[in-house]
Amino acid sequence: ERLRRDQTSSTAVPVGAATARRRGGWLGWAAVALLLAATAAGLWWTLGRASEAEAAQGAVAVLPFDNRGGDEDLDYLRLALPDEITTALTFAPTLAVRPFEPDSPLAGDPLESGRNLRAATVVTGHFAPEGGVLGITLEAIDVAANRLLWRQRVTAPAADVLALREQVAGVVRSGLLPALGRQQTPEGATRPADSVAYESYLRSLAVARDPEPNQRAIEMLESAVEQDPSYAPAWAELSARYAYKAYYAQGGAAAMRRAEAAARRAIELDPDLVEAAARLVTLRADAGDLPTAYAGAEALVRRRGDSAEAHFALAYVHRYAGYLDEAKRHCEAAHSLDPTNYQWRSCAMAFTMSGDLQAARRFLDLDAGSHWAALVTPGILLREGDRSALRPAMDRQPADSPFRGFMQACLERDSAALAENGRSIIESLSEHPDPEPMYWWGAQYSLCGEPQAALHLLAMAIERGYCAFPAIDRDPAWEALRGEPELRRLRDQAIACRSRFAAAVEELTGSPPGGREPGSAPTARQPG
């Protein structure tokens, strides 16, 4: 969003007067991110953290900056500067920080964006080169009162990105945080030491996540961490990029290993970097090491219960381990802290597997219009029995998409085409780093009347450590097969998977995971 204001005073002034001078200027199918909705206030007091209302009151949305100089080579700073501000703000306890995704459909002036993001305050600004220096203006706007809370201008040598970072991070801690009613906080455990490496890191932040540009970002970040191996955020971003490669660009196990190694390095350098810790949790869950992932996520929530990403990570492990009620509860917690983050979209899986399709749609709506949502929506439509809406959903797929062919065969009830497609899907998923797509595709085939492929894919998921109980009992996708001996056998395997997880967690942490689910019988070691 672009702010066209000429005032330089740092006193509070109405934002509405400047409106006339403003102008407004993601991913693959097998996604794993998670969370949504509202949680009871008692949970927050149990965790010793802020209530949902307090979190909402303190929420800050950080918007892209405006490049007023017109120099395209500096355009990466539109996202790099907000990233630095977001990083500095996240060290303030109980302050919910909502970064603005560059491809987000949320548009309009800062007040509109703030309202859409459910933030009390928006932070934005602009920059432009002035001779040999770069001038940057930062602003914080009170959304409800429509007034400027804080403004500060800084300058730094245009060619010195390290000095630029110091200036921005310094005024955030000394000026912005007090304006938000927060105390100054310490800086992160690491600081960039090499200007070339730091600039490579900053430029990578503006690169898209699609396979081809994502590979370019990986190359930039590999160069950055080679030149400056002690800067934790660069390692965290490298971990994220390798994870995208593994999930969406056939990067396979090698990319997953690299993602995990980068996340571990980031945490070694800065144990308080929640993004890296949460990423490591999800990577360990995907790799089948659910007990270790749970221990990491549970410790992260205890330490940072104010972090939506921490609750996201714990919900993720609970979902894979078959603790659906606990997964939904932490989905709600994450959403209450950050109610517009598209990454919580895969919470739709936990609600779908529980048979709560209305709640699942709410999570899908966090990423409405994306390729991922278009791929997942037909599964919900099939569960709802609304086959009439399948064709429009199918038509939104690319002409050469295998999923389009699958939906066509399902609509036409073409068993031969579905069987052929099923063999292709099974082969492609056999090397996929995440077992959840195996469950999801198995459910799709069950809904389309192909039990052989459905049960084979479900077996693959359980074998890979995806504990699909109580999903087998609750998910409408398996209703037609619940009398089949093979599904009963897989149900027993899923229960055993969940029991092994519970026993390992109790041995590792001294207490069982989650709580007993409704209608389940307790055992000596497994709740539920």
Side-chain angles (χ1 to χ4, degrees):
E1 303 314 313
R2 302 187 174 200
L3 294 176
R4 296 287 187 183
R5 289 196 292 272
D6 299 322
Q7 302 103 308
T8 57
S9 169
S10 61
T11 57
V13 297
V15 177
T19 302
R21 293 193 294 275
R22 301 190 197 105
R23 61 184 180 90
W26 133 313
L27 289 148
W29 115 250
V32 276
L34 332 145
L35 300 98
L36 188 330
T39 190
L43 170 64
W44 302 117
W45 297 118
T46 301
L47 295 172
R49 299 293 181 177
S51 70
E52 177 184 347
E54 289 172 325
Q57 290 170 3
V60 178
V62 186
L63 308 182
F65 276 36
D66 178 20
N67 178 5
R68 292 192 178 176
D71 185 346
E72 291 186 1
D73 191 52
L74 294 176
D75 221 37
Y76 71 97
L77 292 174
R78 293 187 64 251
L79 302 180
L81 290 170
D83 184 77
E84 283 296 349
I85 294 169
T86 298
T87 299
L89 291 176
T90 53
F91 287 96
T94 74
L95 182 63
V97 186
R98 296 173 186 162
F100 189 93
E101 284 299 316
D103 296 329
S104 170
L106 296 174
D109 65 24
L111 292 176
E112 180 186 352
S113 294
R115 286 188 290 266
N116 287 333
L117 290 165
R118 303 182 202 176
T121 308
V122 293
V123 175
T124 187
H126 55 263
F127 60 90
E130 302 167 0
V133 301
L134 189 68
I136 306 167
T137 298
L138 302 89
E139 297 180 328
I141 302 167
D142 183 323
V143 175
N146 186 21
R147 68 188 182 97
L148 186 65
L149 283 176
W150 172 84
R151 175 188 285 141
Q152 191 154 341
R153 177 179 166 79
V154 299
T155 60
D160 190 345
V161 289
L162 294 181
L164 175 64
R165 177 190 177 277
E166 292 297 317
Q167 291 279 7
V168 172
V171 299
V172 168
R173 292 194 305 275
S174 65
L176 177 56
L177 281 170
L180 296 173
R182 300 298 198 276
Q183 294 181 340
Q184 293 191 42
T185 59
E187 195 172 359
T190 67
R191 299 165 70 178
D194 183 276
S195 61
V196 174
Y198 181 59
E199 184 172 342
S200 294
Y201 161 72
L202 292 179
R203 289 183 180 275
S204 77
L205 299 175
V207 177
R209 272 81 167 172
D210 295 323
E212 206 170 306
N214 188 65
Q215 183 59 39
R216 293 199 300 273
I218 287 174
E219 293 164 5
M220 297 164 71
L221 288 161
E222 287 283 13
S223 174
V225 298
E226 182 178 359
Q227 292 173 270
D228 184 1
S230 62
Y231 188 48
W235 286 102
E237 181 66 14
L238 183 61
S239 175
R241 295 292 185 160
Y242 269 114
Y244 298 143
K245 180 176 181 176
Y247 296 136
Y248 310 123
Q250 290 79 49
M256 288 286 282
R257 287 192 296 270
R258 193 70 182 96
E260 183 171 336
R264 290 188 184 281
R265 180 59 178 151
I267 295 167
E268 289 170 3
L269 292 165
D270 188 350
D272 291 326
L273 201 57
V274 175
E275 175 191 352
R279 174 75 60 187
L280 185 58
V281 165
T282 59
L283 289 168
R284 294 313 307 151
D286 288 343
D289 189 1
L290 290 175
T292 301
Y294 176 87
E298 196 269 339
L300 187 60
V301 167
R302 276 192 285 107
R303 189 170 76 249
R304 289 298 305 270
D306 59 311
S307 167
E309 286 187 305
H311 288 282
F312 165 96
L314 188 51
Y316 194 95
V317 180
H318 275 133
R319 186 171 91 232
Y320 277 51
Y323 284 76
L324 296 181
D325 291 339
E326 286 79 4
K328 292 187 293 183
R329 178 160 54 89
H330 285 282
C331 281
E332 304 282 14
H335 179 264
S336 71
L337 288 164
D338 191 353
T340 61
N341 195 322
Y342 81 94
Q343 295 184 82
W344 308 162
R345 64 190 185 180
S346 69
C347 270
M349 301 296 186
F351 287 90
T352 299
M353 289 187 291
S354 295
D356 189 346
L357 303 181
Q358 185 175 359
R361 282 189 172 278
R362 286 192 281 115
F363 285 101
L364 277 179
D365 287 346
L366 292 173
D367 199 28
S370 73
H371 183 55
W372 187 89
L375 289 167
V376 173
T377 297
I380 304 229
L381 293 171
L382 284 168
R383 285 170 172 85
E384 292 172 336
D386 188 3
R387 299 181 73 88
S388 65
L390 284 177
R391 188 165 296 281
M394 180 192 76
D395 290 342
R396 287 194 290 271
Q397 305 299 320
D400 59 347
S401 166
F403 191 70
R404 185 185 179 100
F406 164 78
M407 293 307 303
Q408 179 84 32
C410 184
L411 274 169
E412 297 175 356
R413 305 182 187 273
D414 186 340
S415 295
L418 280 170
E420 183 178 352
N421 186 276
R423 288 189 292 271
S424 175
I425 291 294
I426 290 169
E427 182 179 352
S428 67
L429 290 179
S430 62
E431 299 298 324
H432 198 277
D434 178 10
E436 187 165 78
M438 300 168 189
Y439 176 93
W440 188 257
W441 275 101
Q444 303 279 74
Y445 276 95
S446 178
L447 289 161
C448 290
E450 288 296 319
Q452 185 174 354
L455 294 169
H456 186 86
L457 285 159
L458 177 60
M460 287 172 63
I462 297 170
E463 185 178 351
R464 288 273 301 273
Y466 192 81
C467 305
F469 176 85
I472 290 172
D473 286 358
R474 297 183 181 180
D475 190 340
W478 305 107
E479 185 174 352
L481 299 179
R482 289 204 175 109
E484 296 293 326
E486 178 63 10
L487 186 63
R488 291 199 297 269
R489 185 185 71 81
L490 291 175
R491 181 182 184 274
D492 290 341
Q493 290 184 5
I495 293 172
C497 171
R498 188 179 135 118
S499 297
R500 287 192 299 271
F501 164 77
V505 165
E506 190 164 0
E507 183 175 349
L508 193 63
T509 67
S511 59
R516 206 174 80 192
E517 294 182 344
S520 61
T523 64
R525 297 186 64 85
Q526 178 202 1

